Structure formats: C-alpha cells, structure tokens
Amino acid sequence: MDGTSANLGSALAINFILNGEARTEASVSPTRTVLEYLREDEVLTGTKEGCAEGDCGACSIVMVRNGSDQVEAVNSCLLTMGQLDGTRVATVEGLSDRGGELEAVQAAIVAEDGTQCGFCTPGFVMALHALRHSGETVTEEVIHDALAGNLCRCTGYRSIVDAARAATSGPAEAPALSASPEPAAAELYEAQGQLFLAPKNLAGLVGARVAHPDAPLLSGGTDLGLSFSKNREAFPVTIFTQNVAELKRIDEDDAKITLGAAVTYSEAMARIEELFPSFAVLVHRIGSRQIRNVGTFGGNIGNASPIGDTPPCLIALDTMLTLHGSNGSRDIPLETYFLDYRKTDLAADEVIASLSIPKLGADQVFRSYKVSKRYDQDISAVVGAFRLTIADGIVADARIAFGGMAATPKRAPQCEAALIGQPWSEESAIRAGAAVSEDFQPIDDHRASADYRLRVASNLFVRLHRDLEGADDIEVTSL
Ligand SMILES: Cc1cc2nc3c(=O)[nH]c(=O)nc-3n(C[C@H](O)[C@H](O)[C@H](O)COP(=O)(O)OP(=O)(O)OC[C@H]3O[C@@H](n4cnc5c(N)ncnc54)[C@H](O)[C@@H]3O)c2cc1C
Ligand code: FES
Ligand code: FES
C-alpha cells in the first residue's frame, strides 16, 4: 500500500459486530464518534453522553479488537467509526437481551441499590462487565481501578463497589461479545468526502504519510478524539496507526524493552510493572482504564504536550526513539525529540515507530512521581523522574527529568551535576533540589503557580531520598 486511494482499489465499508450482529456501514463519516452513531443511528440510547471528553465514563462500551481476546471497556465518545472496523463491540443493550435475564453486573447493581437517577449506571455496568471478563484476579484495588473512570453524582460509590464485589465473585458467563469472530479490517474507507487510511504495515503507513502530509495520525484517539467529539472537525484524510503490525510489537532482550508506538498502556502494563515498578504506578494514573485501554506511548510522545506523563520518565530512563520515514529509520534520544512548545524533530514524512527503554543495571534505581490535584483521572502539575546509579554509597550518575516545568519535558542538568560524585544522603538530595530553580523557570497556569511548581519539584528530591531509604511507600502515597 502506498497510501493513495488509486492504489488501494475501491473504498470498502466499515465492518464490525455490534451486540452479536454483523454490521456493514458504507456511508457513515469515518470520524463520526461511535457514541453519536450508537445513540442517533442505532437508537441504542442506553449509552449516555456526559462530558464527551473521556472523563465521566457514561459512554463506556466494551470492545474486542483485531484478533485479540481481551475484553476492554472504552469511551465511545472519543472513538471514531473508522476505529470500529474489524472489532466486536457491545453496549448495555447487548447485555440484558439474553433470554430476558439481567446480566450478573446489572443484577448486582439492582440488588445492592447501586443506582438512583441511573444516568451513570450503564457506564458502570459496562466497566464492570469488562472487569468480569478481563481474566484478572479481582481485588479491592482492582475494583477501584476499574471504576476510576466512571463518575456517579447520586448513589455514592459504596453500593456500586458492593455490586462490583458481588458481580465479580463468581465464575463469569460468556461475555456479551464473544460469539462471532470479528471481520477483517480494511485498509481504506471513504465516505462523506473523508478518507480513512488504516495501513497494516510500516511501509504502508509511511506511504500514507507521504501521500497526505497534512493528515493527522490517529492512534488511540484519546487526545486527537477531542477534535471529533468537541470541535466537530471532519478531517478530509485521517491515517490510523493501530492496525500497523510493526507498531504493535513488544520486543525485549537482556538490555532493553522496545515498545511499538501503537502499543497501548494496558498492553504494556505487565512488562512495565515487572521492569520499572515506579513507572508502572505512574502509568496506572494516566486517565482511567478506558483511556489506558486505547491510549498509547506513541500518542503521548506524538502530542508533544509539556505535561504528558510518560516523556519525563522515558527521558530519565534514557529512551531512544526510532522514527521511520521514506528514507528508512533513524534512532534519536527521546530528549532531543522535543524542540520547543509542541514542536518536535519529526519530519513530515516520518512517524514514531517505536521506543527502546534500557533496562536498569544492578546499581541503578528509578523513581517517578506525578503531582496532581486528584490521584485518579487528573492532568499533572509536575512529573519528576529520577534514574540514579549509586556505587558504594556515591551517586555515580544521575538522569533527572521533569514535566510541567518548561515548554517541553526536559532534563535538569544542574540538579544532576549537584548529585553526581556526592554521597547519596538527604543533604545531597536537598542540595540537588535547590538547583531546580537554576534549571527551570516554570509558568503560572490554572493547574499550579510557578512558585508551587518550583517548590514541589525541589521537594521531590527529599521524597526520592526517603522513598529509596524505605521511608515512603510508593504504592499508597498520593501527592
Ligand atoms: C480523560 C483523559 C485523561 C487523560 N489523562 C492523561 C494523563 O493522566 N496523563 C497523560 O499524559 N495524558 C493523559 N491524557 C492524554 C492522552 O490520553 C495521552 O496523551 C495518550 O497517550 C494519547 O495516546 P493516543 O494513542 O490516544 O493518541 P492520539 O490521540 O491517537 O494521538 C495523539 C497525538 O500523537 C500523534 N501520534 C500518534 N501516534 C503517532 C506516531 N506513531 N507517530 C507520530 N505521531 C503520532 C497524533 O497525530 C496526535 O497528534 C488523557 C486524555 C483524556 C481524554
Ligand atoms: S461522555 Fe464522558 S467519558 Fe464519554
Ligand atoms: S445514579 Fe445518578 S449519576 Fe449515578
């Protein structure tokens, strides 16, 4: 595929399974949101619209994608019709229409009085239906994590959590969408004057990029999706990356782990937890499960936000990016990728193909901290990430990076210099923290004042020291 419609033959339809029935859509706009489609075209109004920006979970549906067996909750407000091609999805209507019996989660919500006005309830049911079929060991922590992306203003969460416990305690029946295999996804779809390109390999992706240099790359859509749901944009061409095989790979050797740019947070979580537990705690706080089930590392780097959570961590971990373009691949350190506010080193014909994160040496430690007003579902004011090499009690090397402190995620060279060669002690940590103001001149905004940012970033050095000394439990600490 070279990305031009002339070379792809005739435009195909979007094929997917909805509540167990095959659907073929040949004329719907590829950037229409799935939520609008469900409510307006299918009149499946059990799926609600609350915020239309991924925050409330009222629009949650469950999805199985591209040959995967994983049943996942996703926000239909940020999902486009093009992304449905080749998937199986179920809405709340698909759960109850099974011989007239309520599905286990629905029955538990009724039994535990988990609903009042009911507006939020379908979203909770779908989030818990996905949990029930996730194959996870369900603990209290897992229940809270599964519900963190769903808001309820009436019932209070106790009765919903009680319902979650009851519904996930027994064996799960077949999920609402398991029956038929999903149809194959097409590489091109065209309707309403809009082209949706969904290449299956890297060469096709670059071909599409060269043919349509102004078209946005769409991965999970948890960032770009706002253009469709809120701004009502209808791009003439959209290039979808999730079906590109090379971008979905996770490779690992003794020295590093390499994540394809379209790997989602949920797909990578098990390996991140094993290799970089502190980073995993932070990744667990990116949006909600619904967001992490589709949001990707490539999208977090690609949007070049100064407050993206993973770039400071990945910079401190010395991550290399592989960019792929019409002249092949080039590898660059992630820290050189961000040039200025929302400006990057990505050429017009290139895509982010993958990111390689070196594993920690025996004498290395890594910690990352996200500072936000709320623990769950909040954008950071500051992220601090620290990789220290400590030999015989002396800091032999330090890679320290912050987000939220400058126009781009950035290293802190003065802080690093203040630590290297020093004994690893609270005094050294405080001295290094004092150097934060030499490295950064942050701005005031609605998330935090410049003074707060400087002070909290500086204090993170003390937290780091206490954490490494075992005085601070990273699992339960929320700043
Ligand atoms: C409710 C909500 C909560 C959120 N919470 C957080 C949070 O806590 N922390 C955080 O950091 N972010 C958060 N986000 C932002 C977003 O979820 C992340 O940035 C996510 O990683 C984006 O990934 P995506 O695959 O959805 O990207 P998309 O929306 O698909 O794309 C984002 C950008 O990256 C570009 N891009 C995608 N893939 C590539 C590629 N291969 N090469 C080059 N460019 C590419 C796209 O063109 C686009 O400009 C949140 C978003 C929402 C809606
Ligand atoms: S409508 Fe609120 S998350 Fe989709
Ligand atoms: S029951 Fe009313 S918002 Fe949840």
Side-chain angles (χ1 to χ4, degrees), residues 1 3-5 8 10-15 28-32 34 78-87 185-199 208 212 215-221 224 228 234-243:
M1 170 179 167
T4 57
S5 45
L8 285 165
S10 57
L12 299 167
I14 296 171
N15 289 291
V28 68
S29 154
T31 57
R32 181 166 173 75
V34 172
L78 295 181
L79 203 65
T80 62
M81 287 304 292
Q83 289 168 270
L84 273 197
D85 195 26
T87 66
E187 289 190 71
L188 177 148
Y189 171 71
E190 192 168 16
Q192 313 260 339
Q194 291 178 272
L195 193 58
F196 191 85
L197 298 172
H212 305 282
L217 293 169
L218 172 68
S219 189
L224 196 65
F228 312 121
F235 299 119
V237 185
T238 306
I239 304 169
F240 186 45
T241 65
Q242 276 290 318
N243 296 348

Side-chain angles (χ1 to χ4, degrees), residues 256-275:
K256 62 184 184 309
I257 181 164
T258 301
L259 303 175
V263 169
T264 66
Y265 297 119
S266 297
E267 286 164 343
M269 192 62 88
R271 293 312 301 140
I272 301 285
E273 271 170 355
E274 171 88 23
L275 297 172

